Amino acid sequence: MVNLLNLNQPQLADYFNSIGEKPFRAKQLMRWMHHFGVLDLDQMTDIAKVLREKLRQETEFKLPDVQLEQVSDDGTRKWLIGTNNLKDGTANSVETVFIPEDDRGTLCISSQVGCALECTFCSTGRQGFNRNLSVSEIIGQLWVANHSLRQAEGYNMLPASDRIISNVVMMGMGEPLANYDNVVTAMQIMLDDSAYGLSRRRVTLSTSGMVPAMDRLKEDCPVALAVSLHAPNDALRDEIVPINKKYPIKDLMAACERYLVKAPRDFVTFEYVMLDGVNDSIEHARQLLDVVRDVPCKFNLIPFNPFPNSGYGTSKPMQVRAFRDMLMQAGYVVTVRKTRGEDIDAACGQLAGKVLDKTRRTQRTIAIQPGE
């Protein structure tokens, strides 16, 4: 059975052509599946009954399962999304978070079950890695959130034309560029006017710095770019963001400059988790200014959200302000991310889900506690 939620519009057109149907059927189906959120073939009234019956026999609309939905005191929503191991059917889960604000609604989407990059301050990274999510599991998070919010108190009376989710950030569990093909296909669906119709400025991909994939992305699907920097020199970044050993800061900055040639925004957002006594000194801020001097950018400072046995503390508010002010005095736009959804473990760096770890990183973390 072909899961039609795995296909973008060109791929759907190819599928319809392969069964002797006109390519325009792809646009019709995209509108039903994603724009209207309808997965019942009987409701797709502009598709001939004969074709609907053929689709019923050969295809399916397979969404990931919602295992749990939680609502924070601040209105943040988190869904625990169930996924099966594609080979043996064992259960995994990932997390998806919706953050409502006065002028936007942002959905944070996961791209992998766990993460293989081992950033030391990240709860997801501590869980190890199981597998990449499929296209349907990635775009399915947007479908599920849209459907759930349309039925939720406070949203259920909105006109159908109102977009509850105005922004998508690929900042959930996993490194998006390590699941390149599936993430790009899913983002193409997000941008498709027959589906969700989001602008490239309103879809943001966050990467830890996979330089070759960044160069591919600017050609294939240039969306807004955020880079998880977290350190102003190679020695420190090697320690807390290990991929830096393969793609050091100089190469990463050059890739950012190349990306901006095609990007929908004229700046890169550098994300910087503030770790007490590790990367938050005024000297670190000075080094950071030197590192980014050739890259048009803004900064998003993220107070560290503790998790068990992390080995790190949250930078003191006074230290965060001093760090911020140093950057602002140099002329940069700097935001300090407000912690949202902390009471339901939905804050940045807290997403964990359930990962059947193939890397055995969980066992290694238990055996060797931070600081030992």
mmCIF file of all heavy atoms in Angstrom, residues 31 34-37 146 150 155-166 193 195-198:
data_model
loop_
_atom_site.group_PDB
_atom_site.id
_atom_site.type_symbol
_atom_site.label_atom_id
_atom_site.label_comp_id
_atom_site.label_asym_id
_atom_site.label_seq_id
_atom_site.Cartn_x
_atom_site.Cartn_y
_atom_site.Cartn_z
ATOM 1 N N ARG A 31 -4.975 19.125 -1.736
ATOM 2 C CA ARG A 31 -5.914 20.031 -1.073
ATOM 3 C C ARG A 31 -6.767 19.282 -0.056
ATOM 4 O O ARG A 31 -6.991 19.766 1.054
ATOM 5 C CB ARG A 31 -6.795 20.735 -2.110
ATOM 6 C CG ARG A 31 -6.064 21.815 -2.875
ATOM 7 C CD ARG A 31 -6.967 22.512 -3.868
ATOM 8 N NE ARG A 31 -8.108 23.183 -3.233
ATOM 9 C CZ ARG A 31 -8.035 24.353 -2.613
ATOM 10 N NH1 ARG A 31 -6.882 24.991 -2.524
ATOM 11 N NH2 ARG A 31 -9.118 24.892 -2.069
ATOM 12 N N HIS A 34 -4.225 17.936 2.999
ATOM 13 C CA HIS A 34 -3.489 18.891 3.820
ATOM 14 C C HIS A 34 -4.221 20.217 4.020
ATOM 15 O O HIS A 34 -4.261 20.737 5.138
ATOM 16 C CB HIS A 34 -2.106 19.137 3.213
ATOM 17 C CG HIS A 34 -1.261 17.906 3.143
ATOM 18 N ND1 HIS A 34 -0.791 17.270 4.274
ATOM 19 C CD2 HIS A 34 -0.813 17.176 2.090
ATOM 20 C CE1 HIS A 34 -0.068 16.218 3.923
ATOM 21 N NE2 HIS A 34 -0.064 16.132 2.600
ATOM 22 N N HIS A 35 -4.802 20.772 2.968
ATOM 23 C CA HIS A 35 -5.489 22.059 3.127
ATOM 24 C C HIS A 35 -6.778 21.898 3.935
ATOM 25 O O HIS A 35 -7.050 22.677 4.853
ATOM 26 C CB HIS A 35 -5.790 22.648 1.750
ATOM 27 C CG HIS A 35 -6.404 24.010 1.802
ATOM 28 N ND1 HIS A 35 -5.677 25.145 2.090
ATOM 29 C CD2 HIS A 35 -7.685 24.431 1.620
ATOM 30 C CE1 HIS A 35 -6.485 26.200 2.091
ATOM 31 N NE2 HIS A 35 -7.699 25.794 1.812
ATOM 32 N N PHE A 36 -7.568 20.874 3.583
ATOM 33 C CA PHE A 36 -8.823 20.630 4.293
ATOM 34 C C PHE A 36 -8.690 19.627 5.425
ATOM 35 O O PHE A 36 -9.593 19.504 6.259
ATOM 36 C CB PHE A 36 -9.899 20.144 3.315
ATOM 37 C CG PHE A 36 -10.267 21.154 2.260
ATOM 38 C CD1 PHE A 36 -10.032 20.899 0.927
ATOM 39 C CD2 PHE A 36 -10.833 22.371 2.604
ATOM 40 C CE1 PHE A 36 -10.360 21.822 -0.053
ATOM 41 C CE2 PHE A 36 -11.174 23.307 1.639
ATOM 42 C CZ PHE A 36 -10.933 23.041 0.309
ATOM 43 N N GLY A 37 -7.602 18.869 5.472
ATOM 44 C CA GLY A 37 -7.409 17.880 6.531
ATOM 45 C C GLY A 37 -8.359 16.708 6.435
ATOM 46 O O GLY A 37 -8.719 16.100 7.451
ATOM 47 N N ASN A 146 -2.756 20.558 13.606
ATOM 48 C CA ASN A 146 -3.837 21.344 13.002
ATOM 49 C C ASN A 146 -5.198 20.781 13.385
ATOM 50 O O ASN A 146 -6.105 21.507 13.790
ATOM 51 C CB ASN A 146 -3.694 21.340 11.470
ATOM 52 C CG ASN A 146 -3.068 22.605 10.934
ATOM 53 O OD1 ASN A 146 -3.279 23.695 11.466
ATOM 54 N ND2 ASN A 146 -2.292 22.470 9.880
ATOM 55 N N ARG A 150 -7.935 22.606 15.951
ATOM 56 C CA ARG A 150 -9.239 22.992 15.417
ATOM 57 C C ARG A 150 -10.380 22.535 16.322
ATOM 58 O O ARG A 150 -11.479 23.086 16.290
ATOM 59 C CB ARG A 150 -9.441 22.404 14.011
ATOM 60 C CG ARG A 150 -8.717 23.167 12.920
ATOM 61 C CD ARG A 150 -9.367 24.492 12.655
ATOM 62 N NE ARG A 150 -8.592 25.336 11.762
ATOM 63 C CZ ARG A 150 -8.770 26.635 11.610
ATOM 64 N NH1 ARG A 150 -9.680 27.256 12.341
ATOM 65 N NH2 ARG A 150 -8.039 27.323 10.773
ATOM 66 N N TYR A 155 -9.891 27.584 20.085
ATOM 67 C CA TYR A 155 -9.567 27.584 18.662
ATOM 68 C C TYR A 155 -10.735 27.075 17.813
ATOM 69 O O TYR A 155 -10.805 27.333 16.618
ATOM 70 C CB TYR A 155 -8.341 26.705 18.385
ATOM 71 C CG TYR A 155 -7.081 27.187 19.039
ATOM 72 C CD1 TYR A 155 -6.581 26.557 20.173
ATOM 73 C CD2 TYR A 155 -6.379 28.282 18.539
ATOM 74 C CE1 TYR A 155 -5.413 26.992 20.794
ATOM 75 C CE2 TYR A 155 -5.214 28.733 19.149
ATOM 76 C CZ TYR A 155 -4.738 28.079 20.272
ATOM 77 O OH TYR A 155 -3.584 28.518 20.880
ATOM 78 N N ASN A 156 -11.665 26.346 18.451
ATOM 79 C CA ASN A 156 -12.703 25.661 17.680
ATOM 80 C C ASN A 156 -13.732 26.604 17.073
ATOM 81 O O ASN A 156 -14.516 26.195 16.219
ATOM 82 C CB ASN A 156 -13.398 24.587 18.537
ATOM 83 C CG ASN A 156 -13.957 25.163 19.840
ATOM 84 O OD1 ASN A 156 -13.787 26.342 20.122
ATOM 85 N ND2 ASN A 156 -14.624 24.318 20.617
ATOM 86 N N MET A 157 -13.748 27.868 17.487
ATOM 87 C CA MET A 157 -14.704 28.817 16.929
ATOM 88 C C MET A 157 -14.085 29.703 15.850
ATOM 89 O O MET A 157 -14.761 30.552 15.271
ATOM 90 C CB MET A 157 -15.285 29.706 18.048
ATOM 91 C CG MET A 157 -16.024 28.926 19.135
ATOM 92 S SD MET A 157 -17.397 27.949 18.467
ATOM 93 C CE MET A 157 -18.512 29.285 17.973
ATOM 94 N N LEU A 158 -12.793 29.512 15.571
ATOM 95 C CA LEU A 158 -12.137 30.335 14.562
ATOM 96 C C LEU A 158 -12.623 29.967 13.163
ATOM 97 O O LEU A 158 -12.929 28.806 12.889
ATOM 98 C CB LEU A 158 -10.622 30.140 14.622
ATOM 99 C CG LEU A 158 -9.893 30.709 15.838
ATOM 100 C CD1 LEU A 158 -8.422 30.306 15.786
ATOM 101 C CD2 LEU A 158 -10.017 32.218 15.893
ATOM 102 N N PRO A 159 -12.707 30.938 12.257
ATOM 103 C CA PRO A 159 -13.068 30.628 10.868
ATOM 104 C C PRO A 159 -12.051 29.660 10.267
ATOM 105 O O PRO A 159 -10.858 29.692 10.605
ATOM 106 C CB PRO A 159 -13.002 32.000 10.173
ATOM 107 C CG PRO A 159 -13.114 32.997 11.267
ATOM 108 C CD PRO A 159 -12.493 32.372 12.487
ATOM 109 N N ALA A 160 -12.518 28.804 9.373
ATOM 110 C CA ALA A 160 -11.635 27.807 8.759
ATOM 111 C C ALA A 160 -10.478 28.455 8.010
ATOM 112 O O ALA A 160 -9.411 27.856 7.841
ATOM 113 C CB ALA A 160 -12.435 26.911 7.816
ATOM 114 N N SER A 161 -10.682 29.698 7.566
ATOM 115 C CA SER A 161 -9.640 30.383 6.809
ATOM 116 C C SER A 161 -8.505 30.900 7.694
ATOM 117 O O SER A 161 -7.427 31.229 7.203
ATOM 118 C CB SER A 161 -10.234 31.563 6.031
ATOM 119 O OG SER A 161 -10.872 32.467 6.917
ATOM 120 N N ASP A 162 -8.745 30.986 9.000
ATOM 121 C CA ASP A 162 -7.701 31.461 9.912
ATOM 122 C C ASP A 162 -6.639 30.381 10.116
ATOM 123 O O ASP A 162 -6.962 29.212 10.369
ATOM 124 C CB ASP A 162 -8.296 31.836 11.271
ATOM 125 C CG ASP A 162 -8.983 33.189 11.246
ATOM 126 O OD1 ASP A 162 -9.165 33.726 10.135
ATOM 127 O OD2 ASP A 162 -9.329 33.693 12.320
ATOM 128 N N ARG A 163 -5.384 30.765 10.030
ATOM 129 C CA ARG A 163 -4.289 29.825 10.188
ATOM 130 C C ARG A 163 -3.841 29.840 11.653
ATOM 131 O O ARG A 163 -3.247 30.809 12.116
ATOM 132 C CB ARG A 163 -3.142 30.211 9.256
ATOM 133 C CG ARG A 163 -1.956 29.271 9.303
ATOM 134 C CD ARG A 163 -0.889 29.690 8.312
ATOM 135 N NE ARG A 163 -1.252 29.328 6.956
ATOM 136 C CZ ARG A 163 -0.881 29.996 5.872
ATOM 137 N NH1 ARG A 163 -0.161 31.090 5.995
ATOM 138 N NH2 ARG A 163 -1.241 29.591 4.668
ATOM 139 N N ILE A 164 -4.118 28.770 12.377
ATOM 140 C CA ILE A 164 -3.704 28.687 13.772
ATOM 141 C C ILE A 164 -2.188 28.530 13.856
ATOM 142 O O ILE A 164 -1.521 29.188 14.653
ATOM 143 C CB ILE A 164 -4.411 27.514 14.486
ATOM 144 C CG1 ILE A 164 -5.930 27.696 14.419
ATOM 145 C CG2 ILE A 164 -3.966 27.418 15.940
ATOM 146 C CD1 ILE A 164 -6.706 26.505 14.944
ATOM 147 N N ILE A 165 -1.650 27.638 13.039
ATOM 148 C CA ILE A 165 -0.205 27.429 12.982
ATOM 149 C C ILE A 165 0.337 28.286 11.844
ATOM 150 O O ILE A 165 0.144 27.975 10.668
ATOM 151 C CB ILE A 165 0.134 25.942 12.768
ATOM 152 C CG1 ILE A 165 -0.383 25.109 13.940
ATOM 153 C CG2 ILE A 165 1.644 25.756 12.611
ATOM 154 C CD1 ILE A 165 -0.282 23.614 13.730
ATOM 155 N N SER A 166 1.005 29.364 12.212
ATOM 156 C CA SER A 166 1.525 30.296 11.202
ATOM 157 C C SER A 166 3.000 30.057 10.899
ATOM 158 O O SER A 166 3.492 30.485 9.847
ATOM 159 C CB SER A 166 1.342 31.736 11.685
ATOM 160 O OG SER A 166 2.082 31.965 12.885
ATOM 161 N N ASP A 193 1.179 25.646 -1.978
ATOM 162 C CA ASP A 193 -0.056 26.432 -1.861
ATOM 163 C C ASP A 193 -1.300 25.556 -1.829
ATOM 164 O O ASP A 193 -2.349 25.984 -1.338
ATOM 165 C CB ASP A 193 -0.160 27.437 -3.004
ATOM 166 C CG ASP A 193 0.807 28.601 -2.843
ATOM 167 O OD1 ASP A 193 1.258 28.827 -1.704
ATOM 168 O OD2 ASP A 193 1.124 29.261 -3.852
ATOM 169 N N ALA A 195 -1.397 22.802 -0.177
ATOM 170 C CA ALA A 195 -1.350 22.100 1.108
ATOM 171 C C ALA A 195 -1.466 23.100 2.255
ATOM 172 O O ALA A 195 -2.554 23.554 2.587
ATOM 173 C CB ALA A 195 -0.063 21.275 1.195
ATOM 174 N N TYR A 196 -0.339 23.500 2.844
ATOM 175 C CA TYR A 196 -0.372 24.404 3.999
ATOM 176 C C TYR A 196 -0.063 25.849 3.621
ATOM 177 O O TYR A 196 -0.376 26.768 4.374
ATOM 178 C CB TYR A 196 0.585 23.907 5.086
ATOM 179 C CG TYR A 196 0.200 22.539 5.582
ATOM 180 C CD1 TYR A 196 0.796 21.393 5.061
ATOM 181 C CD2 TYR A 196 -0.817 22.372 6.525
ATOM 182 C CE1 TYR A 196 0.414 20.123 5.480
ATOM 183 C CE2 TYR A 196 -1.200 21.110 6.955
ATOM 184 C CZ TYR A 196 -0.579 19.996 6.427
ATOM 185 O OH TYR A 196 -0.971 18.744 6.836
ATOM 186 N N GLY A 197 0.591 26.046 2.495
ATOM 187 C CA GLY A 197 0.812 27.382 1.964
ATOM 188 C C GLY A 197 1.654 28.296 2.835
ATOM 189 O O GLY A 197 1.499 29.516 2.793
ATOM 190 N N LEU A 198 2.567 27.735 3.606
ATOM 191 C CA LEU A 198 3.447 28.563 4.429
ATOM 192 C C LEU A 198 4.528 29.202 3.558
ATOM 193 O O LEU A 198 4.982 28.607 2.583
ATOM 194 C CB LEU A 198 4.104 27.729 5.527
ATOM 195 C CG LEU A 198 3.169 27.118 6.576
ATOM 196 C CD1 LEU A 198 3.934 26.153 7.466
ATOM 197 C CD2 LEU A 198 2.526 28.211 7.415
#
